[in-house]
Amino acid sequence: MLKSVILAGFFWASANFMPITPVVTPTAVAYTLPSASTVAPVKAPVPVRMASLTTFPKPRIAWDLPLAPASPELLSTDEQEFITRINSERTSRGLNALVADSFLVQTARAHSREMCDLNYFSHHSPTSGLTSPMDRYLAGLKALGANSPDYLLVGENIFYCSIFSNIYNAEYGHRALMDSPGHRANILDPRFTKVGLGVYHNARGEFWVTQMFTKDSE
């Protein structure tokens, strides 16, 4: 039986970047997720899962390695379409367009693929050291030899669909995210300045999407 599920949550993070008590912790129908949750269905005949997360850590030391914007040729067609649609939503409301960042793209792609490979759907990875979006961001900076920012705001939306077709595609995923208040809030948050998109397809036609949003200066 084909079902669709939508998830949205917001978490605060302490100085060590570990999430504490969530404001909202969502869960899903027909899918095992953390308890104490809420669920809202997407009006679609296809299994869809989504979740959103925003973390606010306290300041850390400044970074010293600039990260390059992602050029269009480095993005897949689906990734570019998600970014184009995100920026269209923002600029039509008088908000700044987000810069596609190559570091965020790679971080988002890694999370989408891991969710597929390890058969889970969550902001929180079972991999040690990569548990939260903040952990993954900081681990990536460390791998590049960069320090952490003085200020860092990170948001993440994740999306899954069991079918990829000319109907169930990036446009469909974007509409579903915009129809969810939590995901929409991340997409339209005026504080964010950068975005990374990671889309992963498996051989069965399923696809996973991770959207990462950041602001790294006050």
Side-chain angles (χ1 to χ4, degrees), residues 21-43:
T21 306
V23 177
V24 178
T25 306
T27 193
V29 172
Y31 188 77
T32 303
L33 288 172
S35 59
S37 56
T38 58
V39 62
V42 179
K43 294 180 180 179

Side-chain angles (χ1 to χ4, degrees), residues 143-160:
L144 290 173
N147 293 323
S148 304
D150 285 325
Y151 170 93
L152 182 59
L153 173 66
V154 174
E156 182 179 83
N157 289 341
I158 55 176
F159 173 87
Y160 160 85

Side-chain angles (χ1 to χ4, degrees), residues 188-206:
L188 299 179
D189 194 314
R191 295 167 296 181
F192 290 131
T193 59
K194 297 178 182 179
V195 65
L197 248 297
V199 178
Y200 184 73
H201 299 261
N202 70 7
R204 295 189 296 273
E206 301 167 288

Side-chain angles (χ1 to χ4, degrees), residues 133-144:
M134 190 66 67
D135 293 330
R136 294 189 287 277
Y137 184 96
L138 295 173
L141 287 182
K142 184 176 180 180
L144 290 173

